């Protein structure tokens, strides 16, 4: 008997904690369990062939919005090449409409509903020992008999550590949970369905985190929905990580910034630069919207916390917004965008509402006039407050935000260019229009060309400062990489060739000339041009742990 747990991840660097948790919990049957992980880039034919070569008798897929399309394409083909195989599904994408899915895919044996550890262990008992009737396994849905009953949620301390063999995760992101559930009831989120927050005991969490620290894994992402909802728990983990910092591992947490207290903020300020990154869901600053989606958030407290963390210059901050929420029209979203943008996050994600099966938003979509894609990820098309045309405009703004802001490759240039527009959103809105007019929206330009396009746009909007923009872009470019050839838009340095040579260091450095103090682009002094150039050395062996920019020295 071979049971194959299958994960289809978005990227190779990702891992799927669910399949490893299931295998670990069914430890007495591990000799029968195998894990297969693929990515969205794998061809359906290649995945099918690999599944066939593994010769399983049972296949169980871990289903999410990002991989459901791929799994649906695979399901009809598997029995053709593996007659008699048993196929199971599990995960949030199939837990809330299991009867409908079973009706659509008659080749399925059943669907595991909700939390799967104990359910999967009992299924293994059924397949390996034949000591249990399938209809007696709680937490599953079967084609003929329907759901077998709701399974009680487990004690988190009873779930074994799924990462005993770290070789399986070399050069990959580790996903770890120290809690399940969420205290909040945001209507768009499936976590609101779990009415309680269960914590893994702090001693156990510390013991497990020590494994990652000793192995010096590059990144550990906590999948806790609101990591700091329990202050003692969050503080205990952050203190432990500080005391056992290995100088390498980065830890990612999703938090509610308005819940941070003084003790937590003070501790965060003392962490090694780059050790921690925080993802903070703002979603909207519209109070009507927040009330309608049952989200409790104090933006002023959030703002105060974010600015304080940002001023510490040691923690990467990722802020999220969601377009398409009830009560928020285009102008309201622009306001939310600008309020969050002014907080200066390292990353600003402009996301779009996904109407997830099982969520409160799913139940009220018709009331809100929300139309969304029929296929996963069920993204909003329009609502009572936001037209499809406006959604498309926001999509184009999102692309510009990703290319120019979130890439962190144009930071100093953008800081000056922003001043030309009445507010930041307008910059990205007009840049998106420029991309579309020039045909770049269809044919995505190469990275090097994006610098030239931004220069062309800047000159179009602020032609009197062309020389300044040329130097800002040159500075931004060399902050990130030592180019094999100088960009065409860089200032002519022929008259200063000898002076440059006398200042050049080793091959891992680069010396460039500037006539503006571009490294001070947030200040008025950036407007002051000198006759004699500044000589700036970029050292690529020494980089900022947050921005990854080269260390600079003004010679």
């Amino acid at each position: 008997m071979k049971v194959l747990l299958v994960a289809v991840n978005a990227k190779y660097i990702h891992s799927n904690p669910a399949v490893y948790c299931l295998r670990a919990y069914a430890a007495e049957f591990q000799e029968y369990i195998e894990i297969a992980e693929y990515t969205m880039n794998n061809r359906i034919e290649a995945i099918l062939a690999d599944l066939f070569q593994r010769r399983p008798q049972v296949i169980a897929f871990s289903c999410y919005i990002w991989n459901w399309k791929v799994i649906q394409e695979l399901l009809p083909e598997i029995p053709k090449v593996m007659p008699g195989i048993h196929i199971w599904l599990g995960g949030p994408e199939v837990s809330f409409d299991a009867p409908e899915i079973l009706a659509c895919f008659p080749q399925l044996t059943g669907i595991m509903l909700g939390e799967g550890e104990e359910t999967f262990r009992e299924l293994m008992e059924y397949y390996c020992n034949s000591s249990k009737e399938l209809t007696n396994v709680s937490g599953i849905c079967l084609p003929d008999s329907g759901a077998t009953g709701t399974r009680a949620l487990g004690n988190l301390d009873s779930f074994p550590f799924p990462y005993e063999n770290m070789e399986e995760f070399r050069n990959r992101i580790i996903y770890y949970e120290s809690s399940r559930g969420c205290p909040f009831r945001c209507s768009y989120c499936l976590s609101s369905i779990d009415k309680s927050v269960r914590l893994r005991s702090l001693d156990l969490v510390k013991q497990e985190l020590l494994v990652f620290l000793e192995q010096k894994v590059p990144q550990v992402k906590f999948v806790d929905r609101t990591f700091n909802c329990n202050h003692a728990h969050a503080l205990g983990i952050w203190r432990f990580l500080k005391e056992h910092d290995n100088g390498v591992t980065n830890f990612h947490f999703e938090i509610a910034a308005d819940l941070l207290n003084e003790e937590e903020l003070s501790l965060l300020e003392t962490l090694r630069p780059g050790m921690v990154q925080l993802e903070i869901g703002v979603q909207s600053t519209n109070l009507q919207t927040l009330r309608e989606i049952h989200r409790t958030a104090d933006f002023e407290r959030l703002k105060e916390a974010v600015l304080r963390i940002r001023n510490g210059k040691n923690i990467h901050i990722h802020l999220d917004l969601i377009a398409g929420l009830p009560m928020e029209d285009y102008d309201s979203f622009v306001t939310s965008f600008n309020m969050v943008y002014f907080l200066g996050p390292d990353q600003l994600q402009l996301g779009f509402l996904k109407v997830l099966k099982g969520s409160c938003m799913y139940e009220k979509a018709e009331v809100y006039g929300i139309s969304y894609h029929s296929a996963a990820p069920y993204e909003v098309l329009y609502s009572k407050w936001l037209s499809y045309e406006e959604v498309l405009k926001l999509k184009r703004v999102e692309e510009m935000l990703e290319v120019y802001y979130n890439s962190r490759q144009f930071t100093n240039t953008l800081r000056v260019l922003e001043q030309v527009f009445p507010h930041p959103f307008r910059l990205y809105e007009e840049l998106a229009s420029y991309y579309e007019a020039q045909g770049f929206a269809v044919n995505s330009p190469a990275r090097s060309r994006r610098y030239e396009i931004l220069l062309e746009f800047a000159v179009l909007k602020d032609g009197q400062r062309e020389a300044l923009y040329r130097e800002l872009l040159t500075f931004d470019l060399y902050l990130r990489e030592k180019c094999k050839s100088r960009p065409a838009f860089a200032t002519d340095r022929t008259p200063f060739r000898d002076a440059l040579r006398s200042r050049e260091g080793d091959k891992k450095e680069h010396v460039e000339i500037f006539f503006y103090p571009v490294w001070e682009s947030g200040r008025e002094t950036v407007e002051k041009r000198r006759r004699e150039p500044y000589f700036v050395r970029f050292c690529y062996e020494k980089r900022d742990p947050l921005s990854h920019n080269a260390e600079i020295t003004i010679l």
Side-chain angles (χ1 to χ4, degrees):
M1 170 63 65
K2 179 189 285 189
V3 176
L4 190 62
L5 291 170
V6 181
V8 182
N9 303 322
K11 298 178 181 178
Y12 172 76
I13 196 172
H14 297 169
S15 58
N16 182 309
V19 293
Y20 291 95
C21 287
L22 295 183
R23 183 180 68 177
Y25 194 79
E28 67 265 44
F29 304 106
Q30 281 210 26
E31 62 182 296
Y32 306 111
I33 302 171
E34 191 175 306
I35 288 176
E37 289 193 83
Y38 309 99
T39 76
M40 301 294 290
N41 294 325
N42 294 130
R43 293 181 300 110
I44 295 296
E45 294 81 359
I47 297 176
L48 182 64
D50 190 66
L51 293 175
F52 174 79
Q53 295 293 340
R54 291 172 183 266
R55 300 292 197 276
Q57 284 74 53
V58 181
I59 293 181
F61 287 95
S62 179
C63 304
Y64 299 86
I65 54 174
W66 63 81
N67 66 16
W68 181 226
K69 182 180 178 182
V70 171
I71 292 170
Q72 287 182 91
E73 289 184 50
L74 281 167
L75 290 179
E77 312 308 325
I78 293 171
K80 295 177 185 177
V81 295
M82 289 180 273
I85 193 161
H86 288 225
I87 305 175
W88 287 86
L89 306 180
E93 181 54 27
V94 296
S95 287
F96 301 100
D97 59 349
E100 291 84 352
I101 293 172
L102 288 169
C104 289
F105 297 98
Q107 57 272 70
L108 290 174
T109 307
I111 294 176
M112 291 178 273
L113 308 174
E115 190 167 271
E117 280 90 346
E118 181 60 32
T119 301
F120 178 70
R121 193 199 66 77
E122 289 190 17
L123 281 178
M124 290 302 303
E125 191 175 47
Y126 164 77
Y127 278 111
C128 296
N129 295 339
S130 299
S131 61
K132 182 185 285 285
E133 290 292 330
L134 200 53
T135 52
N136 292 333
V137 177
S138 296
I140 62 175
C141 189
L142 300 171
D144 298 325
S145 51
T148 58
T150 303
R151 182 177 292 283
L153 298 176
N155 181 333
L156 246 57
D157 283 0
S158 70
F159 299 152
F161 185 56
Y163 297 108
E164 294 297 345
N165 181 10
M166 290 302 297
E167 280 300 313
E168 294 178 302
F169 305 96
R170 186 169 295 279
N171 300 319
R172 302 173 76 188
I173 296 171
I174 299 292
Y175 294 92
Y176 179 80
E177 62 179 352
S178 70
S179 68
R180 284 186 187 176
C182 182
F184 303 114
R185 299 291 176 262
C186 302
S187 64
Y188 53 83
C189 183
L190 290 179
S191 295
S192 63
I193 296 170
D194 190 345
K195 304 300 182 185
S196 61
V197 178
R198 291 167 290 153
L199 302 176
R200 201 164 175 84
S201 66
L202 206 50
D203 287 342
L204 194 54
V205 171
K206 291 177 182 179
Q207 176 185 326
E208 292 167 350
L209 291 179
L210 207 55
V211 174
F212 304 142
L213 290 163
E214 290 172 349
Q215 293 286 327
K216 294 189 175 181
V217 301
Q219 186 175 53
V220 176
K221 282 196 172 187
F222 277 67
V223 295
D224 304 41
R225 299 311 301 160
T226 305
F227 174 76
N228 62 323
C229 64
N230 183 295
H231 292 291
H233 186 76
L235 203 58
I237 291 174
W238 282 336
R239 278 180 179 151
F240 177 82
L241 294 178
K242 178 186 175 181
E243 292 164 2
H244 296 82
D245 180 24
N246 60 14
V248 174
T249 306
N250 167 267
F251 294 89
H252 176 105
F253 303 93
E254 188 172 333
I255 69 164
D258 55 323
L259 294 185
L260 290 170
N261 60 28
E262 177 58 34
E263 192 173 13
E264 289 165 333
L265 286 166
S266 297
L267 176 62
L268 289 171
E269 289 173 333
T270 66
L271 300 179
R272 165 178 59 84
M275 177 183 176
V276 162
Q277 59 189 53
L278 300 177
E279 181 173 353
I280 300 164
V282 183
Q283 320 312 13
S284 174
T285 62
N286 183 313
L287 295 179
Q288 279 187 296
T289 296
L290 294 174
R291 282 194 294 269
E292 189 64 27
I293 63 175
H294 313 141
R295 184 171 177 81
T296 56
D298 184 334
F299 183 75
E300 288 306 311
R301 286 192 64 180
L302 181 149
K303 175 182 175 181
E304 182 181 339
V306 168
L307 291 177
R308 180 166 168 183
I309 294 168
R310 194 193 72 179
N311 290 338
K313 298 180 179 179
N314 66 326
I315 290 176
H316 179 282
I317 302 173
H318 179 137
L319 301 182
D320 295 335
L321 285 170
I322 298 178
L325 292 171
M327 308 293 180
E328 183 144 78
D329 60 16
Y330 191 85
D331 290 339
S332 171
F333 186 82
V334 170
T335 299
S336 291
F337 179 97
N338 289 328
M339 290 176 72
V340 173
Y341 189 94
F342 282 127
L343 299 182
D346 299 287
Q347 297 274 305
L348 171 52
Q349 180 177 327
L350 196 173
F352 291 82
L353 175 66
K354 294 171 179 59
V355 183
L356 304 177
K357 292 177 286 186
S359 69
C360 179
M361 190 66 67
Y362 177 81
E363 301 297 329
K364 297 188 71 173
E366 190 173 340
V367 175
Y368 296 138
I370 293 176
S371 179
Y372 56 93
H373 284 277
S374 300
Y378 315 110
E379 198 168 84
V380 65
L381 292 168
Y382 60 84
S383 72
K384 281 183 181 179
W385 300 272
L386 200 65
S387 70
Y388 180 55
E389 185 175 0
E390 289 170 330
V391 168
L392 292 179
K393 285 178 68 176
L394 291 176
K395 283 281 185 182
R396 293 191 287 269
V397 169
E398 177 204 20
E399 183 182 355
M400 295 300 96
L401 194 69
E402 287 297 315
V403 169
Y404 287 103
Y405 184 88
N406 288 339
S407 68
R408 311 308 288 170
Q409 295 166 3
F410 308 88
T411 305
N412 296 283
T413 307
L414 291 175
R415 200 172 292 144
V416 173
L417 188 56
E418 288 165 12
Q419 301 164 14
V420 178
F421 299 87
H423 51 75
F425 185 89
R426 184 68 62 79
L427 161 61
Y428 297 96
E429 188 179 46
E430 293 198 20
L431 184 55
S433 296
Y434 181 76
Y435 252 64
E436 191 170 23
Q438 299 299 315
F440 302 137
V442 177
N443 300 305
S444 183
R447 180 172 176 266
S448 58
R449 178 71 179 113
R450 291 169 184 168
Y451 286 85
E452 297 169 354
I453 294 170
L454 189 58
L455 175 61
E456 293 162 8
F457 176 76
V459 171
L460 179 67
K461 299 296 180 180
D462 189 23
Q464 294 182 340
R465 298 196 291 181
E466 179 177 349
L468 171 59
Y469 289 119
R470 288 181 179 276
E471 295 210 345
L472 285 164
L473 285 164
T474 303
F475 183 69
D476 279 333
L477 179 62
Y478 279 111
L479 275 176
R480 300 304 291 265
E481 61 181 285
K482 183 180 179 181
C483 303
K484 293 181 179 179
S485 59
R486 294 182 76 242
F489 52 77
T491 304
D492 181 19
R493 64 180 187 175
T494 304
F496 306 96
R497 188 170 294 163
D498 292 339
L500 274 168
R501 284 173 180 166
S502 68
R503 291 169 168 82
E504 286 178 350
D506 61 36
K507 292 182 179 180
K508 294 180 180 178
E509 297 179 343
H510 175 77
V511 178
E512 191 54 75
I513 63 167
F514 298 95
F515 291 91
Y516 294 91
V518 285
W519 51 91
E520 298 179 345
S521 58
R523 307 175 190 176
E524 293 180 4
T525 52
V526 78
E527 302 287 352
K528 298 177 182 178
R529 191 181 193 281
R530 292 200 339 175
R531 286 195 168 195
E532 294 300 315
Y534 298 95
F535 291 85
V536 181
R537 174 176 289 138
F538 298 84
C539 179
Y540 298 104
E541 281 199 319
K542 299 178 182 178
R543 291 182 178 269
D544 183 283
L546 298 187
S547 67
H548 304 294
N549 286 340
E551 181 182 270
I552 66 165
T553 305
I554 314 302
L555 304 178

